[in-house]
Amino acid sequence: ELVLKVRIQNPNLRENDFIEIELDRQELTYQELLRVSCQELGVNPEHVQKIRKLPNTMLRKDKDVARLQDFQELELVLAVSDKPSLFRVPAPSERSGYNKKASELTY
């Protein structure tokens, strides 16, 4: 197995940690990487614009995937659309540490 670290590239997420995924070394293809990554991260593959090997290399084909080494860091870059965000940003009142009384103070 090849172990990779994957996350969603989204600065609006509160937690943007990597998860580790395993790929069978006999099936190192771009489509398999996309499928497993999306399944583990709960993302629709149709929303992925590209896969980036950090810090700045775009993966495009099976040969790119075949060159990956254990524990390399990847990001799924999601397509920007006019539709509502794929991720729900919590309202201020839902965030931990939010103080409703403090927000109503007037000076």
Side-chain angles (χ1 to χ4, degrees):
E1 291 184 335
L2 174 66
V3 179
L4 299 170
K5 295 168 62 175
V6 183
R7 71 178 180 188
I8 297 169
Q9 186 272 323
N10 188 335
N12 295 327
L13 288 178
R14 226 187 312 184
E15 291 187 25
N16 201 17
D17 295 332
F18 288 94
I19 63 166
E20 291 182 355
I21 63 168
E22 297 86 23
L23 292 177
D24 185 338
R25 289 189 187 271
Q26 304 305 314
E27 297 180 28
L28 286 180
T29 65
Y30 183 89
Q31 284 303 320
E32 183 66 4
L33 171 61
L34 180 64
R35 184 190 71 76
V36 172
S37 298
C38 288
Q39 179 181 351
E40 292 287 331
L41 291 167
V43 174
N44 185 335
E46 294 174 7
H47 295 144
V48 176
Q49 180 180 3
K50 62 185 172 184
I51 300 175
R52 177 185 297 133
K53 180 176 77 170
L54 294 178
N56 59 5
T57 304
M58 183 173 66
L59 298 179
R60 300 173 296 140
K61 55 191 175 190
D62 293 348
K63 284 186 177 183
D64 296 342
V65 175
R67 286 191 290 268
L68 294 173
Q69 301 295 316
D70 277 328
F71 301 104
Q72 283 196 295
E73 296 178 344
L74 307 176
E75 284 185 331
L76 299 185
V77 179
L78 303 182
V80 177
S81 70
D82 295 333
K83 297 177 185 174
S85 174
L86 299 172
F87 298 97
R88 189 168 110 26
V89 178
S93 60
E94 296 173 329
R95 294 184 192 136
S96 64
Y98 180 77
N99 184 333
K100 183 169 174 45
K101 288 183 181 179
S103 70
E104 294 173 352
L105 291 177
T106 56
Y107 295 93

